[in-house]
Amino acid sequence: MDAKGYEISPWELRWRGLDLEALHRTESTFAVSNGHIGIRGSFEEGEPRGLAGTYLNGFFEQRELPYAEAGYGYPEDGQTVVNVTDGNIIRLLIGDEPLDMRYGDAPHHERVLDFRSGTLRRTTEWVSPTGRRIRIRSERLVSFSSRAVAAIRYEVEPLDGELEVVLQSDLLANEPLPTKSDDPRVAAALDRPLVADFAAASGYRAVLAHHTRASNLYMAAGMDHEIELPADARCSIETEEDLARLTVAVDIPAGKSLCLTKYLAYGWSARRSVPALRAQVDGALAGAKETGWKTLLERQRAYLDKFWAVADVEIEGDAELQQAVRFGLFHVLQAGARGESRAIPAKGLTGPGYDGHAFWDTETYVLPVLTYTLPDSARDALRWRHTTLDKAKARAQQLGQQGAAFPWRSINGQECSGYWPAGTAAFHVGADVAAATSRYLAATGDTEFETEFGLEILVETARLWGSLGHHNSEGEFRIDGVTGPDEYTAIADNNVFTNLMAQQNLIDAATLCSKHPDLARDLGVDDEETARWRDAAEHMRLPYDDALGVHQQSDGFTHHADWDFEATPQDTYPLLLNYPYFDLYRKRVVKQADLVMALYLRGDAFTDEQKLANFLYYESITVRDSSLSACVQSVVASEVGDLQLAYDYLAEAALTDLHDLHANVSNGLHIASLAGTWLGCVAGFGGMRDYNGNITFAPRIPEQLNRLAFHMRIRGSCVSVEIRQHSATYTLTSGNSIPLSHHGEPFTLDETPVTHDIPEPPQIPRIRQPHGRAPTRRG
Amino acid sequence: MDAKGYEISPWELRWRGLDLEALHRTESTFAVSNGHIGIRGSFEEGEPRGLAGTYLNGFFEQRELPYAEAGYGYPEDGQTVVNVTDGNIIRLLIGDEPLDMRYGDAPHHERVLDFRSGTLRRTTEWVSPTGRRIRIRSERLVSFSSRAVAAIRYEVEPLDGELEVVLQSDLLANEPLPTKSDDPRVAAALDRPLVADFAAASGYRAVLAHHTRASNLYMAAGMDHEIELPADARCSIETEEDLARLTVAVDIPAGKSLCLTKYLAYGWSARRSVPALRAQVDGALAGAKETGWKTLLERQRAYLDKFWAVADVEIEGDAELQQAVRFGLFHVLQAGARGESRAIPAKGLTGPGYDGHAFWDTETYVLPVLTYTLPDSARDALRWRHTTLDKAKARAQQLGQQGAAFPWRSINGQECSGYWPAGTAAFHVGADVAAATSRYLAATGDTEFETEFGLEILVETARLWGSLGHHNSEGEFRIDGVTGPDEYTAIADNNVFTNLMAQQNLIDAATLCSKHPDLARDLGVDDEETARWRDAAEHMRLPYDDALGVHQQSDGFTHHADWDFEATPQDTYPLLLNYPYFDLYRKRVVKQADLVMALYLRGDAFTDEQKLANFLYYESITVRDSSLSACVQSVVASEVGDLQLAYDYLAEAALTDLHDLHANVSNGLHIASLAGTWLGCVAGFGGMRDYNGNITFAPRIPEQLNRLAFHMRIRGSCVSVEIRQHSATYTLTSGNSIPLSHHGEPFTLDETPVTHDIPEPPQIPRIRQPHGRAPTRRG
């Protein structure tokens, strides 16, 4: 067991030995999910446990947002993801001793999250306080093939002769949760959010139905079981409002074991009745039982085989990074696979952090990965945004703007940000959605999505920029008083990232309207409007400091006072928990890639010299207090030619959750950072860019690595890229030939693999970070 | 009765006739107070009533401030002024009919607030629903001479023969109040804030003692009575936890009347015990009774005679304005007379608006008036600030700054602002306190205050600027990320008003330290520190738009988008209630004088041409959504030479509460606007400036007025200024000769009055306001 607790292995995450302190954290890393249902990696026996968590994507409770001083247009209601009815619980009594790993002894204990089987396995040998010895084996999955279904295989084996056991398999609603923290990134605690509507049980099957008090969402959870029992076993099932329990009392003879298969099904709706939801859950249970455990396992593996065939990133020369990259991709898949017109939350369905909200992270970090590996899931996530357009248009209107203002944070599309300078003012989210839409359209050629959804998204987001911005007397188009990705500066004029993303948004909208003039007219767009968009894009203000030769993150930024990094103790990071916003806002300290993000996503707007100068400048003041930063810094470090720094940042992004670098993995994984690991490999070392839909590469790997290989789906074709120290090989593994570029040299990839030499990286000055904030040097 | 309900009269505010709808508002205008105790102008019979209100300066309840998203350094506790035990209530039953003016008929009813007697008088003839006819006469005062004492004289006279009456004279705690409003300027509603500690009664006297639940402040209220009763009258007194009641049942013969004198005394403390407070109140009651009603009245009048001798402003040619100016001065006196080391709240003690908090208004609007008319009260108010220095220093430290950060809003000196962009970020409050200190010192030569309190205030406020600001690469001293007086722009760089006030603060602190080197050293100030202050002041950045030829309110301000005034319905003012901050912040729309405030308070930093250009520019975008604005605009309009506009604005400021221009006088008066009326007369038409302690005048009155006269105490002398259309006469009414200036010409005023001609005003372009926001044209 290494120091961090996880063993390094290419295709699995394994933790050997018992560490109760680590449970809260490993419940997040060992979570299983299909994007619709998520179950934290808690022990079946219910306790010890860090934080109970079973989540249904989109199922939330509403609560009034309080304000010390209210203001016009402040969101009135917040949304918090609900820990729904827990079906994970299988309690075990040995004689009258409950299996509880806080007591007795565990000579062997290990858990494995298997990236290829898509299951979490557990093996525990436990010696009870009175000395009885048993082995528990369990395996659980949330099915990728049947989105409403989860299943657990649970096996008890006595190791010291015949054993009298009682098994209790539960559905449990309204579990108590730990109380609230002062950290604003932690979720609001909900006290007993579920109101009981219905409970029924017979045989091995039980169903509980509940609804939420305020948001009025309805859900049902069901369980069914398979178990082979001797004739003298006693078995009963019963329900209360918040509990359904199958109880099995049985003697297990020496040398034998008891094996229980538990099928779980979940359904929720804002519209369907309790009987309809019950029927839905009963039906899913019947289907799952008919399918059977073995076939569920096979389908799970088949789904993952297909995923890895396109999504896998192979790294030779750094086994820990290899594992971390696959861990990240596995969880990105778990977050996004079967969301199906629901949001992909910042934490996926692995914990209650950020109240279960989705942010711009989804479009900017997660969707690029899905777009090029699992495009249907990217499409579904964009469809979710489209379903919220009405809310976004109403919000824009409330804010006195035209078009659509997507929320900064939300579960159902309603703005839930209770602090507008770092919420509503971060209007770039609209351009991020637009960029993800353009990217998806270019990468897939999905004309159906383009005409039905994409055009409207682009038009309404462009309209927002049209009304948010204005021309000054010199004819520049300004966007004032907004907040960019860096939350340590807020309500600033002409944030370069925002302005460049808005520029692309305006151009893409105008272009698509020209392509579909009739549809554009249906949306009320005329030539005057598109001309205004093009003009605004052309004259977009990008503040630049001539004296320093760098862009200003926003107007005046480079004239602000230095943050005193030397006087800032390392244990006061993240700064937002230890310094007031007012002081952060007015000083040169950057929470996360902002101008540097623009260097990546809108690199076509900068010269190479500007990229280097800007990167040098902003690196020296960026503290990475956000998990969204390291991967982007890795990408740009690769581009400017500092491969060691790129490697360091990539490892930081990849290990964010495995090493708990932000000390909050217990509240859920950082899905964007995990997705960013793919970006670090593909856009960073692979140098992949997709400006205006043109796919280009500029690969270069650090000396510590021998080989990096990845794949991308592009317009129905599949391209494999294999990078070695001095050359890169491009292979078309399926589909039609495709125009690409290698370090600026265009070529067309057809059936014949192509190998190109990699030029030497440029000589560059030493890049420095703020005092104490350099990434850990790797390799 | 005129349309607004008040009658115009030079020395009183009279309302004739009954208007139940107006009660809520007139309770504020008819409030009586001495700055320590405040009693709203409710009827003695308790109902009908708009809002019960008896306040003790500094007596508040604490409540947790809620945040949808918390942040480091946000204040945790708010403070709300408490409606304390009500001693105003004298109920009357005629037979078994309670006197209630909602029923029956009132053939005659009038109330008079007399600015010279310092009392509120009432005369009511009432016909009961069953036809009995009575006359009620009452008079009440809160004593200027005995700060703990109030008194009411109440007389009942039957008009149609012998009358059987029951009088109930109450002390009543925890009165129900109307529920909360959505308007953030309204106070938080407190539900039964007082916990009963003690109640006792005997004879005609009763005392109730209570404390607040959370803030743990203790108070006692007592009443005693004088009444002449026939032998067969029944009289009893009794107490409950929240009620003490004297009941008198008596027959009043035809042609006679019943007269009750009620003495009230209040005491509160955070430290003294209940028995000590009770003794204090009993003592005050005994003293008041010994003094007697007649002598209380005489002392009240004597106090006011003395006040008016210096404070009166005489206006010939506008009777309504004359009344309004005196009404304003009377209430300024009531707010500030006997505060004695407590804050002067924005509403005085006339209502619960703004939770009873004091803001920068006190130092900037109220203290100039008191400094030149009642300097001891100005001193006491500044002593209050000094008593809060520890809290202000702790707050600065919490914010990572040096020196003292005075709160944006507070009752006891603790920051209570729940929205930091318009609260904590408004650091100018520190410079405002410093400016008021410098002004007081220059106007009085109070060396004791200077060495004991003034120096420390100036040093600690200067230190804050030293740490808030920094030099940029061109050597300019910048103060970034702050909010000036205009709350429609926030978190801006280099707000000109703030920077100029900070500049003066730094210079004054350095100058005073040079004067008192030993004391400065005791405060840790060395020559390096004062040199840094002087350097920062010298290089203070003042953003200027060369193209427009105007100063920028803050960096970049003039490049912001226009607010669309034409498209803004007049009923959406104040804009903050109908538009989001984000949109207000980033557009060219100004809530209240900000740059224009700088033109007045730091006019020495601008040329005449700059003043005119700036005033023209900012007038066109200032909407006056704050009652702090009109008076300042009046002052600057006078200076640039638009006397009509100055007159319009002066009238608006003066009539703010009498005409309820902000539709919220029901929650209390706008003390700063009332004080600003004096500024409009003295600094506006009188052209009085006191830059660096030099008193100068540049008088000029609008053609509608024949004469304007006012007085000022300056360093122990008293100067009278009488302005007519073409000349001004300066008279030294007491004290030593004094150097003055008339329209730029210095002269020394000694025993001989001096008359100077007034030059013609300059020709200036037409000054325009935003669509629909021009002040009402007067005269």
Side-chain angles (χ1 to χ4, degrees), chain A residues 243-534:
Chain A
L243 176 69
R245 174 169 290 166
L246 174 75
T247 304
V248 175
V250 63
D251 292 350
I252 312 176
K256 297 282 181 183
S257 63
L258 177 72
C259 181
L260 174 79
T261 306
K262 181 176 187 176
Y263 299 97
L264 293 166
Y266 288 94
W268 78 263
S269 175
R271 300 187 194 164
R272 305 192 69 205
S273 67
V274 171
L277 281 170
R278 185 205 171 177
Q280 181 178 330
V281 164
D282 274 338
L285 283 176
K289 215 167 167 182
E290 170 65 22
T291 304
W293 172 253
K294 189 159 159 281
T295 306
L296 278 177
L297 275 187
E298 285 165 6
R299 288 183 184 167
Q300 191 82 341
R301 184 173 291 268
Y303 187 96
L304 280 161
D305 285 348
K306 208 171 144 196
F307 172 69
W308 288 117
V310 177
D312 190 27
V313 174
E314 294 164 76
I315 294 173
E316 283 179 27
D318 188 334
E320 188 187 30
L321 186 62
Q322 172 69 81
Q323 179 190 40
V325 167
R326 287 192 178 126
F327 169 81
L329 284 165
F330 180 73
H331 272 296
V332 168
L333 176 73
Q334 291 207 127
R338 301 296 306 269
E340 290 167 29
S341 297
R342 303 279 173 205
I344 301 178
K347 302 281 178 193
L349 299 175
T350 66
Y354 289 116
D355 279 322
H357 292 172
F359 295 75
W360 69 302
D361 315 17
T362 304
E363 281 79 5
T364 308
Y365 293 78
V366 178
L367 292 202
V369 184
L370 294 179
T371 295
Y372 292 116
T373 60
L374 203 69
D376 287 358
S377 292
R379 178 200 61 211
D380 290 348
L382 290 169
R383 283 224 26 208
W384 172 70
R385 282 292 187 188
H386 187 271
T387 64
T388 68
L389 255 181
D390 281 353
K391 292 190 182 79
K393 285 160 83 170
R395 177 70 178 155
Q397 197 170 30
Q398 186 185 28
L399 297 172
Q401 307 302 319
Q402 291 158 17
F406 285 111
W408 175 244
R409 54 188 301 173
S410 184
I411 293 178
N412 80 343
Q414 200 97 38
E415 177 66 273
C416 294
S417 169
Y419 177 60
W420 76 266
T424 294
F427 284 101
H428 66 81
V429 63
D432 305 329
V433 172
T437 304
S438 294
R439 181 185 299 114
Y440 170 78
L441 293 177
T444 60
D446 183 344
T447 51
E448 189 183 324
F449 186 87
E450 178 170 301
T451 52
E452 278 191 42
F453 308 109
L455 178 68
E456 192 177 2
I457 290 175
L458 283 163
V459 162
E460 297 299 348
T461 48
R463 278 184 170 148
L464 181 72
W465 298 118
S467 75
L468 275 177
H470 74 284
H471 289 87
N472 67 7
S473 56
E474 286 121 55
E476 287 179 309
F477 191 77
R478 297 171 57 97
I479 301 171
D480 290 342
V482 304
T483 301
D486 168 26
E487 292 175 1
Y488 289 172
T489 292
I491 319 181
D493 295 345
N494 299 302
N495 172 262
V496 168
F497 172 82
T498 303
N499 285 18
L500 282 174
M501 295 297 288
Q503 182 182 58
Q504 190 71 52
N505 192 164
L506 290 160
I507 293 168
D508 288 351
T511 305
L512 214 57
C513 284
S514 304
K515 187 175 164 191
H516 303 290
D518 293 349
L519 293 173
R521 209 173 304 119
D522 292 346
L523 295 169
V525 182
D526 58 20
D527 291 345
E528 291 306 318
E529 187 166 17
T530 53
R532 281 199 303 275
W533 294 345
R534 287 196 177 92

Side-chain angles (χ1 to χ4, degrees), chain B residues 98-365:
Chain B
L99 166 56
D100 185 325
M101 295 182 64
R102 286 172 292 201
Y103 307 99
D105 189 29
H108 177 74
H109 172 69
E110 68 172 53
R111 314 177 79 198
V112 182
L113 183 67
D114 185 322
F115 310 146
R116 286 185 293 199
S117 71
T119 61
L120 176 68
R121 288 191 297 272
R122 169 195 187 182
T123 308
T124 299
E125 284 180 32
W126 186 62
V127 183
S128 77
T130 58
R132 293 305 307 262
R133 194 177 182 89
I134 58 163
R135 181 184 293 128
I136 304 293
R137 282 203 186 85
S138 77
E139 184 165 18
R140 77 172 72 146
L141 61 83
V142 176
S143 173
F144 287 115
S145 53
S146 305
R147 73 193 278 254
V149 170
I152 307 170
R153 179 86 150 195
Y154 188 84
E155 199 180 337
V156 188
E157 182 186 354
L159 298 179
D160 56 359
E162 185 180 286
L163 190 72
E164 204 175 288
V165 302
V166 177
L167 268 180
Q168 298 168 313
S169 173
D170 291 357
L171 288 177
L172 175 61
N174 287 317
E175 291 168 297
L177 295 176
T179 49
K180 203 182 158 185
S181 146
D182 276 345
D183 184 339
R185 301 167 301 178
V186 175
L190 294 175
D191 189 28
R192 303 185 59 78
L194 297 172
V195 181
D197 288 316
F198 174 84
S202 72
Y204 289 134
R205 179 181 299 190
V207 174
L208 297 181
H210 288 80
H211 71 271
T212 52
R213 270 170 228 285
S215 61
N216 226 29
L217 302 181
Y218 284 76
M219 66 152 294
M223 62 176 179
D224 203 347
H225 301 81
E226 284 174 348
I227 186 167
E228 275 182 37
L229 291 177
D232 62 346
R234 279 154 299 143
C235 183
S236 65
I237 193 158
E238 55 198 348
T239 66
E240 299 168 6
E241 282 201 335
D242 287 348
L243 176 68
R245 173 169 292 166
L246 173 77
T247 305
V248 176
V250 63
D251 290 353
I252 311 175
K256 297 282 181 181
S257 63
L258 176 71
C259 182
L260 174 78
T261 306
K262 181 176 188 178
Y263 299 97
L264 293 166
Y266 286 93
W268 77 264
S269 176
R271 300 185 194 167
R272 305 193 69 203
S273 66
V274 171
L277 281 170
R278 185 206 170 177
Q280 182 179 331
V281 164
D282 274 339
L285 283 176
K289 213 167 167 181
E290 170 63 25
T291 304
W293 172 253
K294 188 157 161 281
T295 307
L296 278 177
L297 275 185
E298 284 165 8
R299 289 183 184 169
Q300 190 83 341
R301 184 173 291 268
Y303 186 97
L304 281 161
D305 284 347
K306 208 172 142 196
F307 172 71
W308 288 118
V310 178
D312 189 28
V313 174
E314 294 163 77
I315 294 173
E316 284 180 27
D318 189 333
E320 188 187 32
L321 186 62
Q322 172 69 80
Q323 177 189 42
V325 167
R326 288 192 178 126
F327 169 81
L329 285 165
F330 181 73
H331 273 295
V332 169
L333 176 73
Q334 291 208 125
R338 300 298 305 269
E340 291 169 27
S341 298
R342 304 277 172 207
I344 300 177
K347 302 281 179 194
L349 299 176
T350 66
Y354 289 116
D355 279 322
H357 293 174
F359 296 74
W360 69 302
D361 315 16
T362 304
E363 279 80 6
T364 309
Y365 293 78

Side-chain angles (χ1 to χ4, degrees), chain B residues 531-778:
Chain B
R532 281 199 302 275
W533 293 346
R534 286 195 178 93
D535 171 80
E538 189 178 341
H539 296 101
M540 190 66 72
R541 175 171 167 77
L542 302 176
Y544 188 79
D545 186 318
D546 287 313
L548 295 174
V550 299
H551 281 86
Q552 295 185 305
Q553 181 176 302
S554 51
D555 275 343
F557 181 86
T558 53
H559 301 305
H560 286 176
D562 295 329
W563 186 267
D564 190 346
F565 294 107
E566 277 69 23
T568 304
Q570 292 302 308
D571 61 5
T572 60
Y573 291 89
L575 300 177
L576 70 94
L577 298 186
N578 295 287
Y579 297 90
Y581 284 128
F582 106 86
D583 213 26
L584 293 166
Y585 285 3
R586 68 204 193 85
K587 289 189 173 157
R588 294 197 307 107
V589 53
V590 174
K591 185 184 179 197
Q592 64 197 92
D594 183 310
L595 196 285
V596 168
M597 187 85 188
L599 298 181
Y600 162 40
L601 289 180
R602 286 301 319 280
D604 53 332
F606 300 88
T607 66
D608 288 348
E609 293 70 28
Q610 286 174 340
K611 283 180 188 168
L612 180 60
N614 284 332
F615 190 61
L616 277 164
Y617 183 85
Y618 287 97
E619 272 293 288
S620 71
I621 54 176
T622 300
V623 295
R624 299 196 312 291
D625 275 354
S626 163
S627 65
L628 303 182
S629 199
C631 60
V632 177
Q633 290 171 271
S634 178
V635 169
V636 179
S638 282
E639 178 165 4
V640 303
D642 191 333
L643 293 171
Q644 176 67 47
L645 185 61
Y647 186 42
D648 299 342
Y649 280 142
L650 177 62
E652 181 173 304
L655 297 169
T656 291
D657 288 323
L658 291 176
H659 288 192
D660 198 11
L661 297 177
H662 292 267
N664 58 5
V665 73
S666 52
N667 287 308
L669 301 179
H670 299 80
I671 300 296
S673 182
L674 297 177
T677 307
W678 185 91
L679 298 176
C681 294
V682 174
F685 293 150
M688 192 280 288
R689 295 293 183 275
D690 52 8
Y691 303 138
N692 296 304
N694 301 314
I695 306 292
T696 62
F697 296 93
R700 204 173 259 144
I701 56 174
E703 59 183 17
Q704 293 89 340
L705 303 185
N706 306 318
R707 177 176 170 273
L708 172 75
F710 58 86
H711 320 276
M712 288 175 66
R713 280 192 196 280
I714 305 165
R715 288 187 283 285
S717 299
C718 187
V719 173
S720 292
V721 181
E722 185 180 32
I723 312 167
R724 295 178 184 278
Q725 276 297 327
H726 301 293
S727 67
T729 300
Y730 301 86
T731 308
L732 189 69
T733 54
S734 72
N736 298 324
S737 68
I738 203 152
L740 297 174
S741 158
H742 174 88
H743 279 286
E745 295 298 321
F747 66 99
T748 298
L749 182 64
D750 51 28
E751 297 82 28
T752 319
V754 178
T755 298
H756 288 294
D757 288 345
I758 294 175
E760 282 296 307
Q763 292 297 313
I764 55 166
R766 166 128 183 244
I767 297 169
R768 290 172 192 275
Q769 289 75 38
H771 173 75
R773 306 307 292 169
T776 303
R777 198 174 164 88
R778 188 162 188 86

